[in-house]
């Protein structure tokens, strides 16, 4: 952990902590230990007065208190093992039924982490309290308040067990998995593309180098996926060296040592310290994360759809659900400006950061699914309906052209794969309806672009 802090990669550290299965349980265990010591101290100070006021609740013999704490500790340890086993089984089933890429969603699930932490925390609490019980003739001490709290915690933990069984049975359902991925992806889209598109064109501005400058590549010193880029640190780096940084790789792309991931505009080749400092502001890991990478959320939904359309599973309903959720994400993207992010120092351009392109996201969403669904009428119809829904959200000419291209591809796939006249006619009717919506959206193209209203 300290290694990440020294490297100046707090984003990567935050991702690892959030997705780890131990961090929240560790905090709960620490809280349980502090609670145990606090209640023991209160018992030592106020024991006589508390016993006199609530004798029925707090009166305990040393042997009876040990028995209660032993029973609670033993049952909590057993239940914690059961919870861990159920979680592992759920992870295995999810990986085989859907895709291994959604496992990190379960690892990041706060409910699973809290439930495991509660049972382990109550177990540790009982052990800490039990060791303070003494029935020696010279010094007798029974922490009555702490023992009563242990009973209350055991009752609360029983409620957590019921909640966990309900929660885990819900989270392994396809609808819940796709909805969870969609929510995370929409939050990433809102963070990455906060601005609404205001006109029908998104052509990035070209940057002209100053006299004597040229682009020099910065080579990566790590292997893995780009999980995040610290925009503030990149801007500070560019200002300090009076240069322009152009990111050649997007968040979510795989890089390897020796591969250029960025370029700097300088008069002379960058030295080793320059390359090292720029590498430090890029978080690289062995897996993709969704915080700055909405394409990864779409990738997960596509993988679930492909698994559902495989001959071994053949689950059209799940594939249709994935397409419906992809349509929600792309509709949000269609309304947002997705040009390359540019950061300035005053009026001076300092950073050019690549971001996902709308055409790339649409292709990622539909191309592979289309290859696996040529003969599936329901999936093809749902894809056309998704394109129609996305078309209502934009009037940008380039984006509408992208949607038209995929309508034509779906139409061609239907002609190749469908044999029944009724199915072909349904596809033709849907294509006409989608084309009409695209025409309507393009006809409303104005300087201040806004989504069209459904007729």
């Amino acid at each position: 952990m300290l290694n990440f802090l020294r490297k100046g990669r707090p984003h990567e550290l935050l991702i690892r902590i959030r997705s780890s299965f131990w961090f929240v349980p560790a905090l709960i265990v620490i809280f349980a230990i502090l609670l145990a010591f606090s209640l023991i101290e209160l018992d030592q100070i106020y024991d006589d007065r508390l016993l006199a006021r609530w004798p029925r609740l707090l009166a305990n013999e040393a042997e009876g208190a040990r028995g209660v704490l032993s029973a609670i500790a033993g049952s909590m340890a057993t239940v914690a093992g059961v919870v861990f086993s159920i979680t592992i089984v759920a992870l295995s089933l999810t990986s085989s039924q859907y895709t291994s890429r959604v496992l990190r969603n379960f690892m990041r699930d706060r409910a699973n982490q809290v439930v495991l932490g509660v049972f382990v925390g109550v177990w540790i609490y009982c052990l800490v309290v039990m060791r303070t019980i003494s029935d020696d003739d010279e010094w007798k001490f029974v922490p009555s308040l702490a023992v009563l709290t242990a009973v209350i915690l055991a009752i609360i933990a029983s409620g957590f067990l019921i909640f966990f069984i309900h929660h885990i049975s819900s989270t392994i359902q396809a609808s819940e998995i796709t909805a969870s991925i969609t929510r995370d992806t929409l939050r990433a889209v809102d963070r990455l593309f906060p601005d609404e598109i205001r006109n029908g064109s998104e052509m990035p501005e070209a940057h002209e180098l100053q006299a004597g400058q040229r682009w020099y590549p910065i080579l990566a010193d790590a292997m893995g996926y780009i999980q995040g880029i610290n925009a503030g640190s990149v801007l500070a780096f560019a200002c300090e060296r009076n240069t322009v940084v152009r990111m050649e790789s997007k968040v979510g792309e795989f890089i390897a040592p020796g591969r250029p991931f960025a370029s700097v505009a300088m008069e002379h080749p960058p030295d080793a310290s320059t390359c090292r400092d720029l590498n430090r502001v890029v978080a690289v890991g062995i897996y993709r994360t969704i915080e700055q990478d909405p394409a990864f959320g779409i990738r997960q939904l596509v993988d679930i759809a492909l698994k559902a359309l495989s001959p071994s599973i053949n689950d059209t309903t799940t594939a249709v659900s994935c397409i419906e959720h992809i349509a929600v994400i792309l509709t949000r993207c269609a309304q947002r400006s997705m040009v390359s992010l540019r950061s300035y120092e005053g009026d001076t351009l300092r950073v050019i950061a690549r971001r996902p392109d709308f055409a790339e996201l649409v292709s990622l969403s539909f191309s592979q699914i289309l290859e696996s669904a040529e003969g599936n009428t329901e999936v093809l119809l749902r894809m056309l309906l998704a394109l129609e829904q996305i078309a209502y959200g934009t009037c940008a000419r380039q984006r509408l052209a992208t949607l038209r291209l995929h309508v034509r591809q779906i139409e061609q796939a239907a002609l190749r794969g469908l044999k029944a006249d009724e199915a072909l006619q349904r596809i033709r009717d849907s294509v006409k309806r989608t084309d009409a919506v695209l025409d309507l959206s393009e006809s409303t193209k104005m300087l201040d672009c806004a989504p069209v209203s459904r007729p």
Side-chain angles (χ1 to χ4, degrees):
M1 184 179 295
L2 293 176
N3 185 43
F4 289 114
L5 293 175
R6 286 196 297 268
K7 287 185 176 182
R9 294 178 176 174
H11 179 78
E12 186 174 0
L13 176 63
L14 181 63
I15 291 174
R16 293 206 172 200
I17 289 177
R18 183 182 176 187
S19 59
S20 65
F21 204 58
W22 56 266
F23 184 70
V24 172
L27 292 180
I28 295 176
V29 168
I30 293 173
F31 173 77
I33 294 173
L34 295 176
L35 178 64
F37 282 120
S38 300
L39 292 177
I40 290 169
E41 290 299 321
L42 286 176
D43 271 309
Q44 289 181 331
I45 298 173
Y46 301 106
D47 185 56
D48 294 337
R49 279 175 282 180
L50 291 174
L51 282 175
R53 188 165 184 176
W54 294 297
R56 294 182 181 275
L57 286 177
L58 300 177
N60 277 297
E61 295 294 335
E63 190 64 29
R66 284 199 188 97
V68 170
L69 293 174
S70 297
I72 295 175
S75 61
M76 289 300 107
T78 301
V79 174
V82 172
V83 167
F84 185 76
S85 300
I86 292 175
T87 302
I88 295 299
V89 171
L91 292 176
S92 301
L93 290 175
T94 303
S95 177
S96 60
Q97 182 72 20
Y98 305 111
T99 171
S100 61
R101 268 169 285 279
V102 303
L103 294 184
R104 298 197 61 79
N105 297 343
F106 285 88
M107 298 292 289
R108 301 190 328 167
D109 192 334
R110 284 286 179 264
N112 294 338
Q113 297 173 5
V114 168
V115 169
L116 182 61
V118 165
F119 289 118
V120 176
V122 174
W123 173 54
I124 296 295
Y125 173 91
C126 292
L127 295 181
V128 172
V129 173
M130 190 161 51
R131 63 178 294 276
T132 64
I133 298 176
S134 174
D135 55 355
D136 294 339
D137 295 334
E138 298 181 0
W139 184 67
K140 292 186 177 182
F141 177 68
V142 178
S144 303
L145 183 59
V147 173
L148 176 62
T149 303
V151 175
I152 296 173
L153 291 176
I155 296 172
I156 295 174
S158 301
F160 271 91
L161 177 61
I162 298 172
F163 162 77
F164 175 75
I165 295 174
H166 168 76
H167 177 73
I168 202 69
S169 61
S170 300
T171 53
I172 62 175
Q173 297 181 33
S175 57
E176 179 60 31
I177 293 174
T178 53
S180 176
I181 295 172
T182 302
R183 288 191 294 267
D184 290 341
T185 306
L186 291 176
R187 284 193 289 267
V189 169
D190 292 338
R191 284 193 299 266
L192 200 60
F193 312 118
D195 300 325
E196 297 281 344
I197 184 171
R198 303 307 301 171
N199 55 63
S201 177
E202 281 193 307
M203 296 300 295
E205 300 176 1
H207 173 66
E208 296 183 1
L209 298 179
Q210 299 178 5
Q213 287 187 337
R214 56 168 294 188
W215 291 110
Y216 289 97
I218 301 295
L219 306 182
D221 62 4
M223 178 185 69
Y225 294 96
I226 299 179
Q227 296 178 333
I229 298 175
N230 192 324
S233 298
V234 176
L235 179 59
F237 169 92
C239 295
E240 180 182 346
R241 289 165 173 78
N242 191 27
T243 184
V244 180
V245 177
R246 185 180 67 192
M247 302 304 300
E248 306 293 351
S249 298
K250 300 189 295 288
V251 175
E253 290 187 0
F254 186 86
I255 62 174
R259 171 184 170 180
F261 73 95
S263 298
V264 292
M266 305 180 73
E267 296 180 359
H268 304 287
D271 55 19
S273 63
T274 299
C275 297
R276 182 177 62 253
D277 291 343
L278 190 54
N279 269 277
R280 286 180 174 176
V281 300
V282 177
V284 179
I286 60 175
Y287 47 81
R288 294 174 67 177
T289 56
I290 205 170
E291 282 76 9
Q292 294 187 24
D293 185 14
F296 182 53
I298 295 176
R299 176 75 267 172
Q300 293 180 70
L301 292 172
V302 170
D303 286 345
I304 295 174
L306 293 176
K307 198 70 174 286
L309 292 173
S310 64
S312 59
I313 297 180
N314 195 20
D315 184 1
T316 299
T317 302
T318 297
V320 167
S321 176
C322 291
I323 295 171
E324 291 169 340
H325 285 84
I326 288 173
V328 173
I329 297 171
L330 291 180
T331 301
R332 182 75 60 87
C333 292
Q335 300 167 357
R336 302 301 174 90
S337 175
M338 301 177 68
V339 294
S340 298
L341 180 64
R342 292 169 178 252
S343 301
Y344 293 83
E345 180 190 20
D347 295 330
T348 305
L349 177 64
R350 290 301 186 191
V351 180
I352 305 173
R354 292 181 59 198
R355 300 198 291 185
D357 179 75
F358 181 76
E360 294 177 0
L361 295 181
V362 175
S363 179
L364 172 65
S365 301
F366 296 118
S367 295
Q368 281 189 287
I369 297 178
L370 182 59
E371 293 177 0
S372 301
E374 283 195 358
N376 193 317
T377 306
E378 293 304 321
V379 173
L380 295 177
L381 288 171
R382 188 59 61 175
M383 293 174 70
L384 289 169
L385 184 60
L387 293 172
E388 178 183 337
Q389 176 183 336
I390 300 165
Y392 278 115
T394 185
C395 55
R397 182 169 295 169
Q398 293 175 334
R399 297 184 177 183
L400 293 174
T402 298
L403 299 179
R404 287 185 187 277
L405 174 63
H406 285 273
V407 171
R408 301 282 78 80
Q409 291 176 351
I410 295 172
E411 184 179 20
Q412 294 170 8
L415 293 175
R416 289 194 304 267
L418 299 180
K419 305 301 181 184
D421 293 338
E422 181 184 357
L424 287 171
Q425 187 58 45
R426 292 176 64 190
I427 295 294
R428 292 190 184 100
D429 293 341
S430 183
V431 168
K432 290 179 181 179
R433 187 168 55 251
T434 306
D435 284 336
V437 173
L438 290 167
D439 292 338
L440 177 62
S441 296
E442 189 166 7
S443 66
T444 61
K445 180 180 180 295
M446 300 175 292
L447 181 61
D448 185 13
C449 181
V452 302
S453 300
R454 186 179 292 269

